[in-house]
Amino acid sequence: MKKMKLAAIFAGLVSVFTFSSCLNDGDSGSNYDLYEIVTVEEGSIFGGTVLKGDAWGYTYTPVASSVLAGLKASDGSYYKRAQVGIKLMEGEAITEGKKSYKVSEVGVLAILNYKDFNVQSDTLRTDYALVSLEDSNNKIWAINGYVNVPFTFKTKEQLSMNDFHLYAVEAKEDTLVTKLQQTKGADDAYQTGSALISFHMPFNDMKFRDIFDQVVPKSDTIVVKVTAKGENDKELVSTVKCSASNMQASY
C-alpha cells in the first residue's frame, strides 16, 4: 500500500531532540506503512496495551504483546511517548472513517521527552529567558492528554528536561493559560539548544483539576495558551486548540 507520511506539524521533529531522547538509527522504516507520534496507553478500553496516534487520531492494537517490545524500558514499564514506524497487519488498510487498526510491527524511531505538568508553581524560584517557543518546523500541539511544546533556550551547561516546567496558571473562558519555565541556567549563557517536551496533564491532582474545570469548552474545543519569559523581558506566547474530552480521555 502507499506509505503515508506524518502530518506536516511533525516535520523535522527529530532535529529538535536534545536531553535524553533515544534514537534508533537502525530502523530505516522502509517496510512501514505509516509513521506516527504515539501515546502508549495501558489497560485501554480496547483491552491490553494500545498506541494512540497524534496525527490522525488512530488507535493501533498489536497482534501480540511482543510487537511493542521496543517500547519497553529496562524496568519492564512502557515508555509513554514515542515516534514510531508502523506495519499494519496483513489485510488491514487505511480506510476513510476507520479509526482502529491491528498492527504486526512497530519500529521505534525515537523516545520523546515526557513529564507531568508541574503543579507547584510557587516552588519554581528561578526563571531564565527562553529564546523562542516553536520554530519553522515544529508547532505546539495537544492531544491524548499531552501538550507538546518545542522551544529554544540558552545555556552554559548540559540541561535535562527536569530543568523545564510547565504549569497551569489560570482559566480564562475557553482558555487554559500555562507557563513554561526554565529553572536552571545562567544570565550570560551563550550556547543555544532546542528541545521538545510532551507535558502530561495531571488530572488526578486537585490543584490542576480545579483550574482545568474552570475552562468553558466551546463545542468541546478548548485553547491551551503557553507563555514563557523571553529575552529582553519579552513575553513569548503560543496557542493551540484541542478537544477537551480527548485531553481527559487518557486520565
Side-chain angles (χ1 to χ4, degrees), residues 86-97:
I86 292 173
K87 180 71 174 178
L88 299 177
M89 185 183 73
E90 186 175 354
E92 285 273 40
I94 300 298
T95 305
E96 185 176 357

Side-chain angles (χ1 to χ4, degrees), residues 37-51:
I37 291 173
V38 298
T39 296
V40 180
E41 186 174 300
E42 300 179 65
S44 72
I45 60 174
F46 297 91
T49 301
V50 300
L51 306 181

Side-chain angles (χ1 to χ4, degrees), residues 7-76:
I9 192 172
F10 308 126
L13 179 63
V14 174
S15 67
V16 303
F17 284 168
T18 58
F19 310 150
S20 58
S21 292
C22 303
L23 299 180
N24 186 348
D25 295 329
D27 277 318
S28 64
S30 59
N31 294 319
Y32 298 136
D33 294 312
L34 67 162
Y35 300 90
E36 271 271 36
I37 291 173
V38 298
T39 296
V40 180
E41 186 174 300
E42 300 179 65
S44 72
I45 60 174
F46 297 91
T49 301
V50 300
L51 306 181
K52 305 294 287 292
D54 283 16
W56 303 283
Y58 297 158
T59 296
Y60 305 99
T61 303
V63 296
S65 59
S66 58
V67 172
L68 302 182
L71 287 167
K72 279 196 172 183
S74 58
D75 62 1

Side-chain angles (χ1 to χ4, degrees), residues 19 130 132-134 149-153 164 180 193-197:
F19 310 150
L130 297 179
S132 66
L133 291 174
E134 306 185 330
V149 186
F151 57 94
T152 304
F153 58 93
F164 299 88
L180 177 64
S194 296
L196 181 142
I197 300 177

Side-chain angles (χ1 to χ4, degrees), residues 18-236:
T18 58
F19 310 150
S20 58
S21 292
C22 303
L23 299 180
N24 186 348
D25 295 329
D27 277 318
S28 64
S30 59
N31 294 319
Y32 298 136
D33 294 312
L34 67 162
Y35 300 90
E36 271 271 36
I37 291 173
V38 298
T39 296
V40 180
E41 186 174 300
E42 300 179 65
S44 72
I45 60 174
F46 297 91
T49 301
V50 300
L51 306 181
K52 305 294 287 292
D54 283 16
W56 303 283
Y58 297 158
T59 296
Y60 305 99
T61 303
V63 296
S65 59
S66 58
V67 172
L68 302 182
L71 287 167
K72 279 196 172 183
S74 58
D75 62 1
S77 64
Y78 284 103
Y79 293 111
K80 298 300 184 184
R81 296 279 292 162
Q83 185 181 31
V84 299
I86 292 173
K87 180 71 174 178
L88 299 177
M89 185 183 73
E90 186 175 354
E92 285 273 40
I94 300 298
T95 305
E96 185 176 357
K98 185 177 180 180
K99 290 295 186 179
S100 182
Y101 297 92
K102 292 183 178 180
V103 299
S104 59
E105 183 180 347
V106 173
V108 181
L109 306 179
I111 302 299
L112 275 65
N113 299 297
Y114 60 89
K115 61 184 296 187
D116 275 346
F117 270 55
N118 187 294
V119 295
Q120 298 288 338
S121 60
D122 58 341
T123 66
L124 305 179
R125 304 297 183 187
T126 53
D127 188 9
Y128 293 95
L130 297 179
V131 177
S132 66
L133 291 174
E134 306 185 330
D135 59 37
S136 59
N137 289 323
N138 299 281
K139 304 299 181 183
I140 289 175
W141 77 98
I143 193 170
N144 297 327
Y146 287 87
V147 179
N148 306 276
V149 186
F151 57 94
T152 304
F153 58 93
K154 284 187 175 180
T155 183
K156 293 176 68 175
E157 58 188 313
Q158 180 67 35
L159 300 181
S160 77
M161 66 177 174
N162 294 322
D163 300 317
F164 299 88
H165 306 271
L166 186 70
Y167 61 90
V169 177
E170 61 180 337
K172 287 187 176 181
E173 299 180 348
D174 64 338
T175 301
L176 176 67
V177 181
T178 69
K179 183 176 181 181
L180 177 64
Q181 195 162 326
Q182 178 181 343
T183 57
K184 183 179 180 181
D187 292 330
D188 60 346
Y190 56 89
Q191 295 178 333
T192 300
S194 296
L196 181 142
I197 300 177
S198 294
F199 292 96
H200 183 253
M201 289 187 171
F203 287 104
N204 58 342
D205 183 273
M206 292 308 299
K207 290 184 178 180
F208 175 83
R209 187 87 207 198
D210 287 345
I211 296 175
F212 186 89
D213 285 347
Q214 295 177 51
V215 178
V216 182
K218 295 180 179 178
S219 300
D220 192 46
T221 298
I222 64 171
V223 177
V224 177
K225 179 180 180 181
V226 179
T227 66
K229 177 182 178 180
E231 296 178 294
N232 301 317
D233 294 323
K234 177 183 178 181
E235 183 182 45
L236 305 177

